[in-house]
Amino acid sequence: MLRDLVESGSRIWWCPTAEFTLLPLHAAGPYKKKRHNLSHFYISSYIPTLAELIRARQQVSRDAAVQHFVAIGQANPDGAKALRCVAAELSVVAQCLAPVLSFTPPTLSFAQLAGNDATVRGVFDALSQNQWLHLACHGMPNRKQPFESSFAMHDGLITISSIVRSRWQNPEFAFLSACHTTVGDESSPDEAIHLAAAMQFSGFRSVIGSMWSVDDNVAAQITSAFYNNLVDGSGRLDCTRAAVALHKAVKTLRKEIPLEQRIVFVHIGV
């Protein structure tokens, strides 16, 4: 039915409600030999509300001479277990962005924040100066009090409450390489109150988040494949290409990563 209405290869946006918010709709399919799944035909994104998609589309990217990117990693957060692959993941991001960083005159600035410097205040200061974000850390959902869902930093937690109160300048894209960043309120699934939605509500036009726990090694693999597909020869990063880049990344890794981990990351926004 959908294929009769929407051309194959098109992008589609899911705006699920109720229990459908818990399902990986982008991965729907029979998963049988000689049968195609939804991802064979369409490039999926999600939206918390239709109004947010309209806002993100109407928000025009500021044509600054230099784009600003920060990669933030917290492998040893306060009160949580250590993450093994954060440093390697940040290195992967830097390597993938190297072709853009080599342009003369410069078109992209790149900064890293990690370890003892990746504090709550340090992250907010970095986000006040950068429009592109890669964040590798613990995601800590709170199903009972969703506004207390958080990212774990060196000295404490960055909660949804603090994110939605922030006013960052022209944020463009955030890759949330953390667990459960699209997990919301268990009693009100219709309300899109989760970490990824909070980033979009705070102004980010394009966000990548996760539906459940992410293996450290898988996060690094998908990160590498994603940025290799996002970066082109233009010397500029374009957040409207993020959904396609994630779609291609997952396809290239389909034989290397188990299905449950291959479909954990989803795109939200434009």
Side-chain angles (χ1 to χ4, degrees):
M1 177 69 75
L2 186 60
R3 291 174 61 192
D4 294 334
L5 301 173
V6 183
E7 183 179 353
S8 181
S10 298
R11 288 188 61 189
I12 59 174
W13 279 263
W14 299 97
C15 189
T17 60
E19 281 70 22
F20 283 99
T21 60
L22 305 175
L23 299 177
L25 301 175
H26 61 289
Y31 290 92
K32 296 179 180 180
K33 289 184 177 180
K34 299 182 180 180
R35 298 286 302 277
H36 290 309
N37 304 315
L38 181 82
S39 60
H40 179 83
F41 302 107
Y42 300 112
I43 300 165
S44 288
S45 294
Y46 290 81
I47 50 171
T49 66
L50 182 58
E52 274 304 303
L53 179 61
I54 293 171
R55 179 202 61 77
R57 282 179 165 177
Q58 291 175 338
Q59 180 183 336
V60 179
S61 297
R62 186 176 62 177
D63 192 22
V66 178
Q67 297 174 298
H68 300 280
F69 192 115
V70 62
I72 299 173
Q74 183 48 259
N76 297 286
D78 181 44
K81 71 174 184 178
L83 297 171
R84 295 178 292 107
C85 299
V86 168
E89 186 172 328
L90 297 192
S91 295
V92 163
V93 175
Q95 291 168 11
C96 293
L97 295 178
V100 187
L101 293 169
S102 66
F103 269 69
T104 303
T107 59
L108 180 71
S109 73
F110 177 77
Q112 286 194 39
L113 196 69
N116 294 347
D117 294 324
T119 61
V120 172
R121 178 62 182 272
V123 170
F124 278 101
D125 286 347
L127 288 176
S128 69
Q129 303 169 48
N130 295 272
Q131 294 76 46
W132 286 71
L133 167 69
H134 185 93
L135 179 61
C137 65
H138 273 299
M140 305 178 71
N142 188 324
R143 300 297 303 275
K144 301 294 184 182
Q145 295 179 295
F147 281 100
E148 297 306 309
S149 295
S150 59
F151 298 113
M153 293 295 111
H154 175 67
D155 61 342
L157 304 176
I158 296 176
T159 64
I160 286 180
S161 297
S162 61
I163 292 170
V164 297
R165 289 197 301 267
S166 302
R167 292 293 180 267
W168 296 312
Q169 295 297 313
N170 303 300
E172 286 283 312
F173 171 78
F175 191 128
L176 308 179
S177 183
C179 298
H180 304 290
T181 54
T182 66
V183 174
D185 187 345
E186 66 181 3
S187 63
S188 303
D190 283 339
E191 297 180 13
I193 308 172
H194 50 69
L195 290 162
M199 298 300 280
Q200 196 179 35
F201 291 143
S202 68
F204 283 89
R205 301 176 64 209
S206 184
V207 179
I208 289 176
S210 61
M211 297 193 75
W212 46 78
S213 295
V214 185
D215 178 81
D216 280 5
N217 290 316
V218 168
Q221 286 178 278
I222 292 181
T223 293
S224 177
F226 168 77
Y227 285 107
N228 280 329
N229 279 288
L230 182 70
V231 172
D232 58 17
S234 68
R236 305 285 295 179
L237 299 178
D238 181 357
C239 73
T240 65
R241 297 183 62 242
V244 175
L246 180 63
H247 181 82
K248 290 180 177 179
V250 170
K251 272 194 169 183
T252 62
L253 295 171
R254 65 183 181 276
K255 294 182 179 179
E256 301 176 34
I257 298 175
L259 176 64
E260 179 187 346
Q261 287 290 291
R262 197 165 69 240
I263 64 176
V264 63
F265 284 110
V266 296
H267 177 261
I268 299 171
V270 295

